[in-house]
Amino acid sequence: MALLEVKDLSIYYQMHRGDAKAVDGVSFSIKENETLGLIGESGCGKTTIALSLLRFIRPPGKITGGSIIYNGTNILDLSEDGMRRLRGNEIAIVRQEAQNALNPVLTVGEQIAEQIIEHDKVDKNTAWQRAKDQLELVGIGADRVRSYPHEFSGGMRQRVMIAIATANYPKLLILDEPITGLDVIVQRQLLKLIADLRDRFELTIIFIAHDLSVIAENCDRVVVMYAGKVAENSNTSDLYHKPLHPYSSALISSYPSILGERQELKSIPGAPPSLVNPPPGCLFADRCEHVMDICRQKIPPEYDIDGRSVACHLYEHSKEPQV
Ligand code: SF4
């Protein structure tokens, strides 16, 4: 059974010019202990989806339709008290640029202990001891419990954020661009830490990134997003070796590979469409080298191809188009 099932989710931002459809009819699910990658260009809706899973969408944003079923309960129907119990205890998030979100006037120990007390009925001494344990767990060491955020590097602050997010033993951990802006060696160390935590605590993870190699190495399945919609949903290996959607294919061709022959990198021409006044039909049509007349008239439905899904008219009659 799926731990999380997102069905037909729509999230709009009310703008002067009309509603921006940041997320439009998105569906996907994630099984327990699975790591799901969410990938796509900036503004495609990845972070908006992540925030919606904890009901962190604030005006002018609004969840306008669909459901988010976690462990059999639609979290969109939960009371605020119900959400407070869910956040941290069941689902936790490490937000984008999170390492800059630490409170500069509190020690890291205080910030971890605060999180523990907010979600768990424990006394201060117990919370303090658990904060030390968390710092050990993320490889910082309990002796730094009284240090302030400015005494840490960016990578260490990100470890603190992971310590805070996992302090109440959530089942589902959402990592929104967790290694962006860090140097390559620190990125490697953090990815190893995340993999260790996943294995040790049997975590289910949603991993948001724009770096395809990171997704390829760390995720079981990948949801490729384009302009607020799911373009393709596939297991990772098949996506990389045989992408179905022209956008997935273009995304893969635009990243260097250290394996195989040297190939020229291709950029994706053009830019994503307006989300306020989107064109009719497929939103990728203006950038797609396989575009057909029908693409500009009709929104492509999702086709099921051997357990993968792809939203593209190329698959209306054939399972094997070349993209
Ligand atoms: Fe390209 Fe048409 Fe498929 Fe859109 S539906 S990705 S325009 S072929």
Side-chain angles (χ1 to χ4, degrees):
M1 193 183 102
L3 178 66
L4 179 84
E5 199 166 2
V6 173
K7 285 189 201 161
D8 211 15
L9 181 68
S10 292
I11 304 165
Y12 295 176
Y13 286 93
Q14 291 171 322
M15 323 273 281
H16 302 304
R17 297 169 290 138
D19 288 350
K21 295 173 179 162
V23 173
D24 195 17
V26 163
S27 300
F28 64 87
S29 63
I30 179 166
K31 287 189 256 174
E32 266 186 60
N33 306 336
E34 199 175 33
T35 299
L36 178 83
L38 272 185
I39 195 158
E41 286 163 286
S42 297
C44 70
K46 308 182 298 282
T47 295
T48 302
I49 289 174
L51 295 177
S52 74
L53 303 182
L54 284 157
R55 268 191 20 211
F56 279 148
I57 301 292
R58 301 284 177 256
K62 192 169 185 237
I63 297 175
T64 55
S67 56
I68 301 171
I69 313 290
Y70 174 78
N71 237 345
T73 302
N74 185 359
I75 69 163
L76 300 184
D77 293 338
L78 283 177
S79 63
E80 262 316 305
D81 271 355
M83 279 313 296
R84 262 193 292 277
R85 281 193 292 275
L86 189 94
R87 292 180 190 130
N89 287 332
E90 294 287 333
I91 307 177
I93 185 168
V94 176
R95 293 196 195 201
Q96 213 169 4
E97 306 285 342
Q99 68 263 38
N100 299 324
L102 288 165
N103 187 332
V105 298
L106 292 181
T107 64
V108 294
E110 286 168 325
Q111 295 185 59
I112 301 170
E114 211 173 58
Q115 167 77 11
I116 292 167
I117 290 169
E118 195 179 323
H119 294 281
D120 233 344
K121 288 192 176 64
V122 295
D123 60 52
K124 279 187 178 171
N125 286 340
T126 306
W128 190 250
Q129 185 52 50
R130 273 175 55 184
K132 286 184 181 174
D133 294 344
Q134 283 300 107
L135 286 174
E136 285 289 342
L137 184 71
V138 298
I140 288 178
D143 56 330
R144 302 296 304 272
V145 73
R146 294 185 196 282
S147 299
Y148 288 88
H150 72 267
E151 298 175 76
F152 292 106
S153 65
M156 299 272 269
R157 287 202 295 272
Q158 192 64 311
R159 284 175 188 261
V160 174
M161 293 309 300
I162 293 171
I164 291 174
T166 55
N168 294 89
Y169 318 119
K171 282 199 186 81
L172 174 62
L173 181 63
I174 304 164
L175 300 164
D176 190 359
E177 306 269 8
I179 57 169
T180 301
L182 301 171
D183 72 55
V184 182
I185 292 171
V186 176
Q187 287 188 355
R188 284 274 130 216
Q189 292 167 343
L190 271 175
L191 289 172
K192 179 165 184 332
L193 170 67
I194 291 165
D196 288 348
L197 293 176
R198 180 191 59 206
D199 296 344
R200 184 162 167 187
F201 297 105
E202 299 185 338
L203 286 168
T204 305
I205 292 180
I206 295 180
F207 200 119
I208 298 174
H210 57 259
D211 185 329
L212 281 156
S213 57
V214 170
I215 292 278
E217 257 183 83
N218 294 282
C219 299
D220 303 305
R221 294 189 66 79
V222 186
V223 171
V224 181
M225 298 278 306
Y226 185 76
K229 289 178 179 290
V230 173
E232 180 166 352
N233 184 339
S234 168
N235 67 72
T236 308
S237 170
D238 284 348
L239 177 78
Y240 280 86
H241 294 111
K242 196 173 182 307
L244 296 175
H245 197 283
Y247 176 60
S248 311
S249 176
L251 210 53
I252 290 166
S253 304
S254 66
Y255 269 79
S257 168
I258 56 168
L259 300 175
E261 287 176 23
R262 288 175 71 170
Q263 286 180 335
E264 197 183 333
L265 293 183
K266 294 185 195 159
S267 62
I268 308 174
S274 159
L275 298 178
V276 177
N277 290 306
C282 174
L283 298 180
F284 190 57
D286 283 348
R287 307 172 79 185
C288 181
E289 55 186 43
H290 302 279
V291 63
M292 306 170 282
D293 287 346
I294 189 175
C295 304
R296 298 194 188 280
Q297 294 155 13
K298 194 175 152 203
I299 295 173
E302 280 186 22
Y303 295 100
D304 189 352
I305 310 286
D306 300 330
R308 306 163 68 188
S309 81
V310 57
C312 173
H313 289 304
L314 287 172
Y315 295 85
E316 194 170 344
H317 303 297
S318 164
K319 279 174 106 177
E320 298 288 336
Q322 296 293 311
V323 296

